Amino acid sequence: WLGMIFLFLVAGSFLASSTMDTVRPLLSAPSDARKDLPKGSLSRTPFAGMPDPVDAEPLALSERVNTVFVVIASQLVHVLTVAALTGAVFFVLGMILVSPPVLDAWTRGSGRPDGELLGMTLPIPDSLIQTTMLLTAITFMYISAKAVTDTQYRAQFLDPMLDDLRVTLLARNRYRASQWTHG
C-alpha cells in the first residue's frame, strides 16, 4: 500500500504542479479572461448585456484556491478514472489467464489462492490483486505524465476546461464591475 500511495503522490504532484503552471496566468490577470474567447461566449446568460470592465478586480485568495482546486481535481479524477478502468481490464485479463499452475509458477509455490483487499478476504489470488494494484498505479503515473506533455489530451480535455474557466472569470469580472457601478 505504501508503494502505491507513493506512486500516486508522485504522479499527482507532478500533474498538480503542471496544472498550476497552466492556470497561474489566469489567476494573476483575471482581466485577460476574455482573451482568446469566441464572441458571444456569454450570450444567453444574464452577463451578456454587461460591459467588460476596464480593469478587473483581482481574485481573492478563496477564489484562487477554489479555481486551482477545481482544475486539479478535474484532472486527477479524469486520469484516475482512466487508470482504474485500465486496472479493471488487467484484473479481468488476470482472472482469465492466471490458472492455478501459472499462479504456482508465478509465486514459486508460495502464493495464496485467496487474497485480501481492504480487510476483506476474496476468492482471488493475492498475487493477482497486488499485481493489478501495481499496474494500476504505474498506469496512473504514465497517464499523468502523458496528460502533461500530450497536445491531443490538452486539446480534448484541458483546453476546453480552461476555456470554461475563462468564461467563468469573464462573467465574474462583469458581475463585480456591475456591483461597483450600482453599489
Side-chain angles (χ1 to χ4, degrees), residues 97-108:
L97 297 177
V98 178
S99 64
V102 171
L103 178 64
D104 192 51
W106 194 2
T107 61
R108 297 182 185 142

Side-chain angles (χ1 to χ4, degrees), residues 88-182:
V89 169
F90 288 139
F91 177 75
V92 170
L93 188 62
M95 290 295 292
I96 294 169
L97 297 177
V98 178
S99 64
V102 171
L103 178 64
D104 192 51
W106 194 2
T107 61
R108 297 182 185 142
S110 64
R112 294 183 4 214
D114 60 338
E116 192 173 304
L117 181 65
L118 301 174
M120 297 182 296
T121 302
L122 303 172
I124 301 164
D126 194 47
S127 55
L128 177 60
I129 292 171
Q130 291 179 12
T131 302
T132 301
M133 289 170 44
L134 179 64
L135 288 173
T136 302
I138 291 171
T139 301
F140 180 79
M141 288 189 71
Y142 172 76
I143 294 172
S144 295
K146 187 89 168 144
V148 169
T149 60
D150 188 35
T151 55
Q152 184 177 0
Y153 171 85
R154 184 180 174 94
Q156 289 179 344
F157 184 74
L158 188 60
D159 287 345
M161 186 171 38
L162 292 176
D163 288 343
D164 288 345
L165 177 60
R166 283 187 191 93
V167 170
T168 302
L169 289 175
L170 179 59
R172 172 217 177 257
N173 294 343
R174 287 182 179 185
Y175 175 75
R176 289 282 176 99
S178 74
Q179 294 300 307
W180 288 340
T181 58
H182 292 68

Side-chain angles (χ1 to χ4, degrees), residues 35-54:
K35 188 170 65 173
D36 300 329
L37 282 177
K39 291 283 187 199
S41 296
L42 290 174
S43 64
R44 297 184 307 198
T45 70
F47 308 104
M50 295 179 181
D52 287 331
V54 177

Side-chain angles (χ1 to χ4, degrees), residues 63-84:
E63 291 173 317
R64 288 172 180 262
V65 169
N66 184 44
T67 301
V68 169
F69 174 77
V70 168
V71 175
I72 290 174
S74 297
Q75 288 228 126
L76 285 173
V77 166
H78 185 258
V79 171
L80 188 59
T81 302
V82 173

